[in-house]
Amino acid sequence: MRIGNIAGRAKVIVDEAHAVDIETASGGRFGSDPGELYDRWEQFRGWTPPADAPVERFTGGDIGNPAPAPRQIFAIGLNYRDHAAESDMAVPAEPAVFTKFASSLAGPFTQVALPVGHVDWEVELVVVIGRGGRHIPATDAWRHVAGVAVGQDLSERRLQAIGPVPQFSLAKSHHGFGPIGPFLVTTDELPDPDDLVLGCSLNGEQVQKSRTSHMIFPVPELIARLSAVTELWPGDVIFTGTPSGVGAGRTPQRFLAPGDELVSSIDGVGEIRQTFVAVA
């Protein structure tokens, strides 16, 4: 199933232009709020719209973030060996965890105002928790996932490096720096959720391409390690890390500029698109 946030309402996506309203099709059993749907995920996951449910049209401009109100946002640094190498850092023995602040989250098709500094791209698989818990074993972890989406962990590198310790969370939380979408895709839609092709292109030039099977800490291990420390809640978001090809790792370095267009995709999940403008 593909779940969308269409004009602020939770809908089952039929195709690229049509959807079924969940509140209407369920007779009010489930509400219209996309964020609240995760709080009832255990009940919702077994539901399907009736065959005669009315189908509505939508456009790309209607599509919002499918996980708009997470209690917690986790992000993982250096989770691909080639990205650690291009960053001139050692492969981590434990997941490098930080957060993006909730105000940075955005929908899949957005215009982003570039702050002063060096703004970089990082395509990522985003995981949304459906069933929370503590001490979730890796062998059971995918059962706790509502679905996955495409994400960009946009990063301002100068601020990230300021101070005696890195400012990861702050530098990655400017307005619009956390686009997610286009839809939440449940794992039964994917041949192998542990092996997905992801990549992004800048102005039509491919700058990143890899597979999620190359993660140092795959999704089940991340969920197990995170839940060993903190309780995971329905609707929580995990940005799982980026492969090589970021701007800071290039020679010469390359960063986003006004007029650029960034398209990020994951096979079987979809694509998101950001355009960039100067701060007014």
Side-chain angles (χ1 to χ4, degrees), residues 42-84:
E42 286 297 286
Q43 295 78 33
F44 176 76
R45 65 189 301 179
W47 177 83
T48 55
D52 61 350
V55 176
E56 306 168 358
R57 288 188 60 84
F58 66 88
T59 66
D62 298 324
I63 306 173
N65 175 3
R71 294 177 178 87
Q72 301 176 109
I73 303 167
F74 302 93
I76 310 300
L78 303 176
N79 201 22
Y80 290 75
R81 293 179 187 276
D82 55 3
H83 178 51

Side-chain angles (χ1 to χ4, degrees), residues 5-6 24 35 44 49 92 94 127 130 138 150 154 181 187 200 206 212 232-233 242 253-254 273:
N5 174 355
I6 308 298
T24 301
F44 176 76
E94 299 285 339
V127 170
V150 184
L154 295 170
T187 56
C200 73
Q206 187 168 79
T212 59
L232 300 183
W233 296 92
T242 198
Q253 292 183 326
R254 180 179 180 183
R273 185 182 304 265

Side-chain angles (χ1 to χ4, degrees), residues 76 79 81 92-97 127 129 135-143 145 194 212-229 232 238 240:
I76 310 300
N79 201 22
R81 293 179 187 276
E94 299 285 339
V97 183
V127 170
I129 298 297
H135 302 289
I136 299 167
T139 53
D140 195 41
W142 276 116
R143 294 183 59 208
V145 173
D194 286 304
T212 59
S213 56
H214 296 167
M215 288 182 185
I216 298 167
F217 304 101
V219 170
E221 189 169 356
L222 290 176
I223 290 173
R225 288 177 181 247
L226 290 171
S227 68
V229 176
L232 300 183
I238 306 172
T240 59

Side-chain angles (χ1 to χ4, degrees), residues 61-124:
D62 298 324
I63 306 173
N65 175 3
R71 294 177 178 87
Q72 301 176 109
I73 303 167
F74 302 93
I76 310 300
L78 303 176
N79 201 22
Y80 290 75
R81 293 179 187 276
D82 55 3
H83 178 51
E86 73 176 352
S87 302
D88 197 26
M89 294 184 180
V91 173
E94 299 285 339
V97 183
F98 57 95
T99 190
K100 291 172 77 76
F101 299 119
S103 61
S104 71
L105 297 185
F109 307 114
T110 54
Q111 185 179 83
V112 180
L114 291 167
V116 174
H118 296 148
V119 180
D120 207 344
W121 58 86
E122 295 190 9
V123 64
E124 309 207 3

Side-chain angles (χ1 to χ4, degrees), residues 188-205:
D188 60 310
E189 295 272 323
L190 304 170
D192 183 355
D194 286 304
D195 186 26
L196 303 172
V197 176
L198 78 167
C200 73
S201 63
L202 178 60
N203 302 327
E205 175 193 348

